[in-house]
Amino acid sequence: MRRLYLIGHPVAHSISPQMQGASIEALGLDYRYEAMPVAPESLGRAVAGLRDPSVAGFNITIPHKVTILPLLDEVDATTKAVGAVNTVVNEGGRLKGYNTDSPAAVRALGEAYGELDGCHVVVLGAGGAARAVASGLAPKARWIRILARDITKAEALASDVSKHHDVDILGVGLGEAQCNVGAADILVNATPVGMSPNVGNSPVDARLLHPGLLVFDLIYSPERTRLLQDAEASGAKTLGGLTMLVYQGAEALRLWTGRRAPEDVMMGAARHALGDGKR
Ligand code: NAP
């Protein structure tokens, strides 16, 4: 049996083990996927252990997506452009990093929105997920505005993305939402605002939402956040975070096993895990 892990701190809340477990079972693979809590001070030791040949690879979540980079032997171009890694493949003791969040976000958005070329995008937040979304959309968007409560983080993200892509991208403060959201086609929430248990919160004033908008909330618990409910009420289209979660997991499983993951099975398992009241 080969082993797969999710490392992070904390990891107990994650539904990836249920989602990947269902996929592995459906494909009849001799793999096992488990969550492994790894505190920041133990990261080096944990990564050394994950080079063992019994380990096919692992996923990485908060807070290690950036700090693990120097511990890997190689990373792919997407990981370099995003500056964060969420999937590692163990190739005979050599660890190669990939970022499957970024293409998963673009794929989910493209399916919900249609042709993304020339779109105007506002991203709320300047953390790892915002980085993955902005970097993924940069080759297609006409402009991207990163809105964060800490303007220096928004500016740093915009500056990093523009090093890899020729795109009109600016980092501004959250207070700039009014003019930017009004002119946008796509609004992405890449903050945890509205995540369970704070389900009454929304990162943006509902009065700024409009029918010309697609609102993509990366949060998947709850599936319909306050922001998405406000968006629906305003006539905007909506997309929750579960599709992206399934797509990033399916691509990770393909990288580890070479097999195409059954995304419908993964979606069912993810919904079941969320509905189980485990989070
Ligand atoms: P992160 O790296 O911690 O970044 C979070 C961002 O949100 C930071 O810019 C942070 O600002 C900002 N923020 C936090 N609390 C805020 C508040 N009360 N008001 C305004 N801004 C706030 O986290 P992440 O990995 O990017 O994840 C962000 C969200 O995306 C989470 O909800 C996560 O579950 C979701 N996500 C979903 C998927 C998926 O597959 N659907 C994948 C990845 C992440 P500061 O830097 O100032 O704290």
Side-chain angles (χ1 to χ4, degrees):
M1 177 191 289
R2 301 209 68 201
R3 297 189 170 274
L4 297 164
Y5 292 98
L6 168 68
I7 65 165
H9 198 259
V11 279
H13 66 286
S14 173
I15 60 170
S16 288
Q18 290 96 321
M19 199 173 73
Q20 294 289 8
S23 183
I24 287 165
E25 192 182 335
L27 290 170
L29 297 171
D30 194 17
Y31 283 72
R32 190 183 163 93
Y33 185 105
E34 284 175 278
M36 183 201 284
V38 175
E41 61 275 16
S42 311
L43 184 62
R45 200 156 20 97
V47 170
L50 290 164
R51 291 178 187 274
D52 188 272
S54 65
V55 179
F58 53 97
N59 279 138
I60 302 137
T61 188
I62 291 172
H64 305 313
K65 284 186 177 185
V66 175
T67 48
I68 199 172
L69 284 170
L71 304 175
L72 304 178
D73 300 301
E74 191 185 345
V75 295
D76 76 339
T78 308
T79 301
K80 274 189 197 137
V82 175
V85 59
N86 75 320
T87 302
V88 170
V89 179
N90 182 2
E91 298 172 346
R94 267 183 69 77
L95 299 181
K96 179 163 181 184
Y98 297 84
N99 187 301
T100 68
D101 280 335
S102 185
V106 175
R107 182 179 160 206
L109 251 181
E111 287 171 2
Y113 181 78
E115 181 54 59
L116 292 166
D117 281 335
C119 61
H120 307 97
V121 184
V122 168
V123 179
L124 305 174
R131 206 163 262 279
V133 170
S135 176
L137 287 176
K140 293 171 183 286
R142 178 154 304 143
W143 55 250
I144 300 174
R145 301 290 175 258
I146 309 293
L147 272 58
R149 59 183 176 184
D150 181 342
I151 189 170
T152 58
K153 290 185 184 172
E155 285 171 344
L157 196 168
S159 161
D160 287 350
V161 171
S162 63
K163 283 179 197 145
H164 294 269
H165 303 280
D166 183 18
V167 60
D168 173 2
I169 181 165
L170 280 179
V172 297
L174 268 181
E176 305 285 321
Q178 189 159 3
C179 54
N180 287 295
V181 175
D185 308 309
I186 295 173
L187 171 67
V188 182
N189 177 30
T191 78
V193 179
M195 193 158 76
S196 185
N198 302 312
V199 296
N201 297 348
S202 169
V204 77
D205 187 332
R207 289 169 297 186
L208 301 183
L209 305 172
H210 55 86
L213 209 52
L214 182 140
V215 179
F216 179 21
D217 198 335
L218 265 55
I219 292 171
Y220 52 82
S221 177
E223 244 191 291
R224 279 181 80 247
T225 57
R226 172 70 192 274
L227 171 62
L228 293 185
Q229 292 175 42
D230 289 347
E232 272 166 19
S234 78
K237 286 191 201 164
T238 61
L239 172 65
L242 209 47
T243 312
M244 173 181 166
L245 184 81
V246 169
Y247 288 173
Q248 64 76 31
E251 178 56 9
L253 196 77
R254 192 192 64 77
L255 288 166
W256 294 321
T257 67
R259 298 286 299 276
R260 196 190 176 113
E263 291 169 345
D264 53 339
V265 171
M266 295 175 88
M267 179 62 86
R271 285 217 165 97
H272 185 74
L274 290 170
D276 268 357
K278 286 181 180 147
R279 47 213 34 88

